[in-house]
Amino acid sequence: MFCLSYLVSCLKRNSMHSFTEENYLKAIYKLEEKTGGRVNNTDLAKALAIHSATVTDMLKKMSERKWILYEKSKGFKLTGKGRKSAVGIIRRHRLWEVFLVSKLEFGWDEVHEIAEQLEHVQSEDLINRLDSFLGYPKADPHGDPIPDENGEFMKSEAVLLSKLKAGSKARFAGITDHSTAFLSYLDKIGLALGDTIKIGSIEEFDQSYILQLKSKKEIIVSSRVTNGILVVINY
Amino acid sequence: MFCLSYLVSCLKRNSMHSFTEENYLKAIYKLEEKTGGRVNNTDLAKALAIHSATVTDMLKKMSERKWILYEKSKGFKLTGKGRKSAVGIIRRHRLWEVFLVSKLEFGWDEVHEIAEQLEHVQSEDLINRLDSFLGYPKADPHGDPIPDENGEFMKSEAVLLSKLKAGSKARFAGITDHSTAFLSYLDKIGLALGDTIKIGSIEEFDQSYILQLKSKKEIIVSSRVTNGILVVINY
DNA sequence: CATAATTTTTAGATATATCTAAAAATTATG
DNA sequence: CATAATTTTTAGATATATCTAAAAATTATG
Ligand SMILES: [Mn+2]
Ligand SMILES: [Mn+2]
Ligand SMILES: [Mn+2]
Ligand SMILES: [Mn+2]
């Protein structure tokens, strides 16, 4: 009994993380991505929907374990070790999302919460076999890149649809708004990842766009929509 | 914040269980199956590799929540509600094992630990879609029956191979020893679930069996093996 | 049935992850 | 730069799930 718990606690300390720890790592990674730099306590607390005091304690622990660099009042950032873990979690999340959509026929607006659970299953072998089973997908159902076994992934060249000029053509490559409401809305208006979009014209008044879909149908979308969509320009 | 935690705690109390609670439910179910009746504290503690004092506390909680009937010093058993939950967990475990073996090409001796994690993912929709994706399998890779959506499953008619007489023929339908060592051993000697086995003769001295495999190869197995194998007799 | 053995419970402690309220530290602003 | 606003930390509490040591209860045995 002593031996077992000792072993388990060792494993935990070195290579594994609790669900909670994994959620912190992932949240920090995403905040770093968004802000491009260091992250602060308040933002992380908001992202995790917990209180600052709780975050303070966990940051101390994560700092001791060398998952983050933490300079009091200067914000913090992931170490190499921390980043590697975070990328692994994102890899798992996105591969499971591909599985759910491509094999179990879930809608792209239905998979996130389930993937939030599946991403915590610990087995490298499992995830590499899943990757192979899915045909080594490069992106998840939302167009987000999937890190490979070594944690490498393509930096996207996509830009916001709202940056394009009238007359240009582009491929729908990703989203910045991952909300279920937005995804369902896109389903409703018939816009799917990979589609070619042509910009008919842009209304000066409110920056709404008239888009020509691959079905030749024309639709008007608000700037909220063009700011939620990432596209790759066809040269 | 107050609202959210209240909601979460309500959900927890009514329809969901923590990992720990799920592991207790499953362990109790399996012990009931094995002993055929009520379960006691000590046996459950052993099955979960925890201490009796811990079990006492948890049984109180499970009793309050009406998952078990608990009569002090008379042992306890699952209520209908508790049994339903336990069967649901077993359904998830076994479906994931099928997935791991039939889709990800894991060996039958490699899947249990991963399924122990996957079984805790909470989504009825997920598990029903997985069931459909796998073609509604009736048994897992170890021959154990998979409960359907309503928790119904076939009671097996299999008997121990060690009960058969020389000359009889039977189909390898399940195992009573689920250890990795046993599963790997069966792989090594070339005995797989579903195979037809013919009993050549039985050695009086130590009850070892000479088996004729479908490959016509003959092997000798000890009584430890014939007691680990379940077969269905071909009439 | 008295004693021994086994099983279960109680009492008090620990680890993790959270909270609230208040204090302290830092940053922004007139 | 003094004050206000914001951010972070401290202190103390709670819930869950575990432990150890000892007491209490139950069951088995001569
Ligand atoms: Mn997601
Ligand atoms: Mn995604
Ligand atoms: Mn199993
Ligand atoms: Mn199994």
Side-chain angles (χ1 to χ4, degrees):
Chain A
M1 229 8 33
F2 165 72
C3 272
L4 186 68
S5 15
Y6 177 72
L7 224 140
V8 165
S9 82
C10 271
L11 269 175
K12 272 237 166 103
R13 203 127 320 152
N14 291 322
S15 68
M16 286 167 91
H17 313 103
S18 70
F19 280 32
T20 307
E21 289 159 0
E22 291 196 335
N23 286 335
Y24 275 82
L25 284 168
K26 198 176 50 161
I28 294 168
Y29 182 88
K30 296 210 159 174
L31 284 172
E32 278 188 17
E33 225 178 19
K34 196 158 82 180
T35 63
R38 285 171 176 268
V39 175
N40 70 17
N41 185 316
T42 310
D43 290 347
L44 183 57
K46 257 177 214 145
L48 292 167
I50 56 179
H51 288 244
S52 292
T54 310
V55 169
T56 299
D57 284 349
M58 181 60 97
L59 291 185
K60 268 182 211 153
K61 184 173 88 178
M62 295 178 79
S63 188
E64 273 162 26
R65 298 192 185 168
K66 302 278 190 311
W67 298 338
I68 55 168
L69 288 171
Y70 186 34
E71 285 181 74
K72 216 163 161 168
S73 311
K74 286 186 184 171
F76 50 88
K77 59 177 182 182
L78 294 169
T79 59
K81 187 174 149 193
R83 167 160 294 100
K84 208 175 147 183
S85 292
V87 169
I89 299 158
I90 286 166
R91 170 170 159 81
R92 302 194 304 248
H93 182 99
R94 293 182 181 166
L95 281 172
W96 281 117
E97 284 191 343
V98 173
F99 170 72
L100 295 172
V101 168
S102 73
K103 301 293 180 180
L104 300 194
E105 297 174 63
F106 275 99
W108 70 337
D109 54 336
E110 301 174 313
V111 295
H112 181 75
E113 290 310 315
I114 299 174
E116 288 286 308
Q117 296 183 64
L118 286 163
E119 73 188 8
H120 299 295
V121 174
Q122 307 259 3
S123 165
E124 266 208 51
D125 196 8
L126 169 66
I127 222 64
N128 292 335
R129 280 170 190 261
L130 182 64
D131 196 10
S132 154
F133 178 60
L134 298 171
Y136 304 101
K138 291 273 167 290
D140 83 358
H142 311 107
D144 294 311
I146 298 176
D148 70 16
E149 218 179 319
N150 305 309
E152 316 282 350
F153 55 95
M154 292 288 125
K155 196 77 195 114
S156 164
E157 285 160 34
V159 295
L160 285 178
L161 176 56
S162 59
K163 297 282 178 229
L164 298 205
K165 306 231 176 310
S168 46
K169 251 172 71 176
R171 182 172 47 81
F172 181 10
I175 51 179
T176 56
D177 176 355
H178 286 73
S179 71
T180 307
F182 185 57
L183 299 176
S184 307
Y185 172 75
L186 294 179
D187 278 349
K188 196 170 85 180
I189 64 176
L191 210 46
L193 213 69
D195 286 358
T196 295
I197 301 172
K198 202 174 147 183
I199 295 154
S201 64
I202 303 168
E203 174 58 51
E204 281 253 16
F205 166 61
D206 64 353
Q207 295 292 307
S208 62
Y209 277 50
I210 298 181
L211 304 177
Q212 195 174 71
L213 306 186
K214 60 171 184 178
S215 62
K216 299 288 171 210
K217 214 181 80 180
E218 284 201 340
I219 56 171
I220 303 177
V221 295
S222 71
S223 64
R224 176 118 177 247
V225 172
T226 58
N227 279 306
I229 289 180
L230 288 164
V231 293
V232 170
I233 299 158
N234 300 97
Y235 294 102
Chain B
M1 227 12 26
F2 166 71
C3 271
L4 186 68
S5 15
Y6 178 71
L7 224 141
V8 165
S9 83
C10 272
L11 268 174
K12 271 238 166 102
R13 204 126 321 152
N14 291 322
S15 68
M16 285 166 92
H17 313 103
S18 70
F19 279 33
T20 307
E21 289 160 1
E22 290 196 336
N23 286 334
Y24 275 82
L25 284 168
K26 198 176 51 161
I28 295 167
Y29 182 88
K30 296 210 158 173
L31 284 171
E32 278 188 16
E33 225 178 19
K34 195 157 84 181
T35 64
R38 286 172 175 268
V39 176
N40 70 16
N41 186 316
T42 310
D43 291 346
L44 183 56
K46 257 177 213 145
L48 291 167
I50 56 179
H51 289 245
S52 293
T54 310
V55 169
T56 300
D57 284 348
M58 181 59 97
L59 291 185
K60 268 183 211 151
K61 183 173 89 178
M62 293 177 79
S63 189
E64 273 162 25
R65 298 194 185 166
K66 301 278 192 308
W67 299 339
I68 56 168
L69 288 172
Y70 186 35
E71 286 181 74
K72 215 161 160 170
S73 311
K74 285 185 185 173
F76 50 88
K77 59 177 182 183
L78 293 169
T79 60
K81 189 173 147 193
R83 169 161 292 100
K84 210 175 146 185
S85 291
V87 169
I89 299 158
I90 285 166
R91 168 169 160 80
R92 301 195 304 249
H93 182 99
R94 293 180 181 166
L95 282 172
W96 280 117
E97 283 191 343
V98 173
F99 170 72
L100 295 172
V101 168
S102 73
K103 301 294 180 179
L104 300 193
E105 297 174 64
F106 275 100
W108 69 337
D109 55 336
E110 301 173 313
V111 295
H112 181 75
E113 291 309 316
I114 299 174
E116 287 286 307
Q117 296 182 63
L118 285 163
E119 72 188 8
H120 299 295
V121 174
Q122 309 259 3
S123 166
E124 267 208 51
D125 195 8
L126 169 67
I127 222 64
N128 292 336
R129 280 170 191 262
L130 182 65
D131 197 10
S132 154
F133 178 60
L134 299 170
Y136 304 102
K138 291 273 165 290
D140 83 359
H142 311 107
D144 294 311
I146 297 176
D148 70 16
E149 218 180 320
N150 306 309
E152 316 282 351
F153 55 96
M154 293 287 125
K155 196 77 196 115
S156 164
E157 285 159 34
V159 296
L160 284 178
L161 177 55
S162 58
K163 299 280 178 233
L164 297 206
K165 308 233 176 306
S168 46
K169 250 174 71 176
R171 183 173 46 80
F172 181 8
I175 51 179
T176 56
D177 176 355
H178 286 73
S179 70
T180 306
F182 185 58
L183 299 176
S184 306
Y185 173 75
L186 294 180
D187 277 349
K188 196 170 84 181
I189 63 176
L191 208 48
L193 213 70
D195 285 359
T196 295
I197 301 172
K198 201 175 148 182
I199 295 155
S201 64
I202 302 168
E203 175 57 51
E204 281 255 15
F205 166 61
D206 64 353
Q207 295 293 305
S208 61
Y209 277 50
I210 298 180
L211 304 178
Q212 196 174 69
L213 305 187
K214 61 171 184 179
S215 61
K216 299 285 171 215
K217 215 182 80 179
E218 284 202 338
I219 55 172
I220 303 177
V221 295
S222 71
S223 65
R224 175 118 178 247
V225 173
T226 58
N227 279 306
I229 289 180
L230 289 164
V231 294
V232 171
I233 300 156
N234 300 96
Y235 292 100

